[in-house]
Amino acid sequence: MLLLDEVHVTPADMFRNAVSNINAHVKLGLTATLLREDGKIDDLNFLVGPKLYEANWMDLTEQGYIAPVQCAEVRCPMPAEFYNAYLSEQVHNQALLGITNPNKIRACQYLVNYHARRGDKIIVFVDDIFALTLYAKVLKAPYIYGGTSHTTRMQILEEFQKNPAQHTIILSKIGDTSIDLPAATCLIQVSSHFGSRRQETQHLGRILRASARDQEGFNAYFYTLVSEYTQEVRFSAKRRQFLADQGYSFKTIIELEGMDDLELVLASAESQASLLRRVKQKLSESGAVEVPLLRDIIAGLTPYEKSIVKRELLKGYDEC
């Protein structure tokens, strides 16, 4: 028997070659996220076999196997200067301005402070490394990304699990899989991988195994912070489709009550302007290399191929 965990990655070239070259009388695949954004999920029918069983997530919640979750999308308006900069940038540069939206940073700080006072353990997901370090500084929280050593990762994760004072950690996409944090009861999604439904579900999974789920009246909390009137709104709607199919409902929060009355970061126009300068500097540094290369590649494509590239950039993709 060949047992395949996280079977949704099997259609990727590297894994499908391995599966095709292994002789097995029986193949059995397991996954909580039977999703891919590249159209290859149906390849599992001949690589492994047909789907035999799918559990209903709401039934699992009622039976106590996974935690009940309250889901909310928090809309964050952009200051005029940031939004003007956003509109003037090319599509591939707009994402960072949406992530570093001062009102999104303030909303994240508000939610972290609120849930920390409740005694929750909070995971903040930020895919962009520049933004990840910015949020870590604001929240005074440790962070883990691809460049973090294994020793440091284990220390941070153990501290989060065992130390009541360490209520928040910040993770890049490296935290999407293979991290078990049963202490976590709240998740704040600051930035994500375009419109990937699978990543949305993987993020939610980080708090479904909360050890406190057996307590009467317990709820975990899942927030997605979205910069208003940006491409993030469309991506967010696409990302939550799978969770909606599983029975989850999302509340839209236009304004966090009392946020403007608290002493939060980036309250002044001067501090916001300073942040905008830093973000623009970062974009100019990365753009000096990335933009000409992208332009050179696109220049050699047919109109049809260009439309495919544009579609993939906007909807997101599966790396594996």
Side-chain angles (χ1 to χ4, degrees), residues 123-127 132 142-145 157 169-176 179 181 206:
I123 300 174
V124 180
F125 269 102
V126 187
D127 272 7
L132 181 145
Y143 61 90
I144 299 175
Y145 73 110
L157 294 175
I169 59 171
I170 305 177
L171 303 177
S172 72
K173 66 176 65 176
I174 200 169
D176 289 357
I179 289 184
L181 296 171
R206 304 282 74 78

Side-chain angles (χ1 to χ4, degrees), residues 39-268:
K40 294 182 179 180
I41 198 67
D42 290 339
D43 291 0
L44 288 174
N45 288 324
F46 65 83
L47 289 170
V48 180
K51 180 172 65 177
L52 300 178
Y53 176 75
E54 181 174 3
N56 180 279
W57 289 34
M58 293 297 104
D59 290 343
L60 294 176
T61 300
E62 291 176 5
Q63 295 164 13
Y65 291 109
I66 57 178
V69 183
Q70 291 189 15
C71 304
E73 177 181 281
V74 181
R75 296 290 181 92
C76 305
M78 296 181 78
E81 293 78 6
F82 257 80
Y83 194 60
N84 288 334
Y86 175 89
L87 293 176
S88 65
E89 284 289 347
Q90 298 182 56
V91 172
H92 60 276
N93 279 343
Q94 289 177 335
L96 185 58
L97 286 159
I99 299 167
T100 55
N101 171 5
N103 288 324
K104 181 184 280 195
I105 297 173
R106 287 164 56 80
C108 185
Q109 185 185 20
Y110 172 93
L111 290 171
V112 165
N113 291 344
Y114 172 78
H115 282 280
R117 288 194 300 270
R118 293 181 73 254
D120 287 317
K121 289 278 192 172
I122 308 143
I123 300 174
V124 180
F125 269 102
V126 187
D127 272 7
D128 183 89
I129 304 305
F130 171 82
L132 181 145
T133 57
L134 173 65
Y135 277 82
K137 183 176 181 180
V138 168
L139 301 174
K140 298 179 174 62
Y143 61 90
I144 299 175
Y145 73 110
T148 307
S149 69
H150 177 73
T151 301
T152 303
R153 291 183 196 186
M154 298 311 296
Q155 290 173 344
I156 292 173
L157 294 175
E158 184 175 8
E159 190 76 4
F160 178 75
Q161 285 286 102
K162 297 181 178 180
N163 183 357
Q166 188 58 66
H167 52 72
T168 304
I169 59 171
I170 305 177
L171 303 177
S172 72
K173 66 176 65 176
I174 200 169
D176 289 357
T177 59
S178 304
I179 289 184
D180 186 25
L181 296 171
T185 55
C186 175
L187 189 143
I188 302 172
Q189 196 170 234
V190 170
S191 71
S192 309
H193 188 69
F194 300 101
S196 172
R197 296 166 297 163
R198 191 179 84 192
Q199 190 188 48
E200 183 95 348
T201 308
Q202 289 170 326
H203 285 179
L204 180 71
R206 304 282 74 78
I207 53 174
L208 289 181
R209 295 187 292 272
S211 55
R213 65 181 181 272
D214 294 332
Q215 298 176 9
E216 186 176 354
F218 172 80
N219 268 293
Y221 296 87
F222 181 83
Y223 297 96
T224 297
L225 307 187
V226 175
S227 289
E228 218 163 11
Y229 302 114
T230 70
Q231 57 185 342
E232 291 184 358
V233 177
R234 180 166 56 84
F235 289 151
S236 178
K238 181 178 185 298
R239 290 170 62 85
R240 63 173 181 258
Q241 287 175 2
F242 178 76
L243 296 181
D245 291 342
Q246 296 298 322
Y248 290 93
S249 59
F250 280 75
K251 177 173 65 174
T252 300
I253 300 175
I254 303 299
E255 182 178 354
L256 291 168
E257 185 177 354
M259 190 176 87
D260 293 334
D261 300 329
L262 300 177
E263 292 186 8
L264 301 174
V265 297
L266 299 170
S268 67

